[in-house]
Amino acid sequence: MITKDMIKHTWRAKVNFIKVNNYDELSCKAAAMICAQVVLKPNSVLGLATGSSPLGTYEKIVEKCEKGEVDFSKVSSINLDEYVGLDGSNDQSYRYFMNTNLFTKINIDVAKTNVPNGCATDLQKECEAYDALIEQSGGIDLQLLGIGLDGHIGFNEPDSYFEKATHVVELDPSTIEANARFFASEADVPRKAVTMGMGGIMSAKKVLLIANGKNKKEIIEKAFFGPITPEVPASILQLHPDLTVIYSEN
Ligand code: GLP
């Protein structure tokens, strides 16, 4: 368990912070980084994210793939999280999101794509198996992240410590409220999720976090220009040696 005090005086890496003018520019840059990773290492392990932020990035990746600029046939992927209780056929599940917005549109082998199983009968075992999978993959080459309004990454919610392992989390009321826009009503938003922990995220060789909108400005400032604290989960990324943040206010 990493507490606040332990990291008070720790070394911090420099955040490569790129401010762009609009969402399209953000998506182009993020897609270019991901595709460059795949071109340089065709069998890359990509850590992928859901939410509205990566939608543009995925669209640009699909375009590049269609033009034959990049080949995903040897790529494998490991997604960050999944709602507990939603299976892949549920259109609000993150497996469904990934299949619809990316996997079925590019030449990735779907058998090599991984999303936690939120319907596993033994969720603890599922979490342990997920961490083993990350390790056996040889580690994530590039981890794509969005950020929640409360600073969560994956579904690592604000807490008094950073949780290392993949785990089951109770979603914050603010996250439930924010994600309700995708569901018929707030009552339909699952209350729990399985999320990769900070260990999996921080062990990625490169991290790319994307955020857009004025409503994310405050949390971006806190996370990357404020103190490192588990109350702002994304702030741990300041300790990552290869972090790029792309932010657009518009
Ligand atoms: C969800 C996901 C996160 C994502 C966050 C922000 O809670 N679990 O991985 O970063 O939403 O989403 P958005 O990009 O829609 O603001």
Side-chain angles (χ1 to χ4, degrees):
M1 185 194 293
I2 310 166
T3 63
K4 248 202 278 189
D5 292 336
M6 281 160 70
I7 53 172
K8 234 183 214 163
H9 305 293
T10 338
W11 166 85
R12 291 178 193 195
K14 191 174 167 286
V15 180
N16 179 22
F17 191 83
I18 305 172
K19 198 161 180 233
V20 292
N21 295 318
N22 53 53
Y23 182 64
D24 193 60
E25 216 182 304
L26 177 155
S27 304
C28 283
K29 278 204 161 43
M33 262 186 79
I34 294 168
C35 291
Q37 169 67 41
V38 174
V39 169
L40 291 171
K41 187 181 175 198
N43 63 344
S44 288
V45 180
L46 298 179
L48 296 176
T50 52
S52 47
S53 309
L55 280 172
T57 304
Y58 293 155
E59 271 173 29
K60 306 281 176 198
I61 291 176
V62 171
E63 280 170 26
K64 283 177 187 294
C65 213
E66 281 169 353
K67 284 189 203 149
E69 290 173 17
V70 60
D71 173 13
F72 277 79
S73 62
K74 296 193 178 71
V75 168
S76 53
S77 70
I78 302 182
N79 257 77
L80 282 167
D81 45 14
E82 181 60 282
Y83 288 114
V84 167
L86 302 193
D87 70 23
S89 65
N90 187 307
D91 64 4
Q92 291 310 323
S93 72
Y94 285 166
R95 162 53 80 181
Y96 188 95
F97 175 103
M98 290 309 302
N99 285 351
T100 315
N101 293 300
L102 188 67
F103 298 152
T104 55
K105 297 184 170 174
I106 59 174
N107 69 333
I108 198 167
D109 176 358
V110 179
K112 287 199 283 198
T113 66
N114 299 280
V115 179
N117 177 6
C119 290
T121 38
D122 188 336
L123 285 171
Q124 185 49 37
K125 263 204 183 132
E126 172 65 17
C127 292
E128 286 161 21
Y130 213 66
D131 282 333
L133 171 88
I134 297 169
E135 213 180 311
Q136 282 153 21
S137 75
I140 294 167
D141 290 298
L142 192 160
Q143 175 67 56
L144 176 67
L145 295 171
I147 185 170
L149 287 171
D150 61 0
H152 73 250
I153 47 177
F155 268 131
N156 290 276
E157 294 282 26
D159 210 332
S160 52
Y161 62 92
F162 292 111
E163 181 94 47
K164 187 178 173 197
T166 296
H167 58 284
V168 176
V169 67
E170 298 266 353
L171 300 180
D172 266 17
S174 67
T175 302
I176 293 168
E177 196 190 319
N179 290 1
R181 67 190 195 276
F182 300 112
F183 291 81
S185 77
E186 198 171 309
D188 292 328
V189 185
R191 268 38 189 171
K192 286 183 185 182
V194 176
T195 183
M196 192 190 288
M198 293 305 193
I201 294 171
M202 289 297 282
S203 65
K205 289 166 198 131
K206 283 186 189 353
V207 175
L208 167 60
L209 185 140
I210 54 175
N212 66 292
K214 286 194 173 58
N215 62 340
K216 293 271 171 86
K217 195 175 177 198
E218 198 184 328
I219 194 62
I220 286 288
E221 276 164 10
K222 275 193 192 163
F224 302 109
F225 302 99
I228 299 169
T229 164
E231 283 144 26
V232 182
S235 66
I236 197 174
L237 297 171
Q238 291 183 43
L239 298 172
H240 195 282
D242 191 342
L243 167 68
T244 300
V245 176
I246 310 179
Y247 175 62
S248 163
E249 228 179 280
N250 305 300

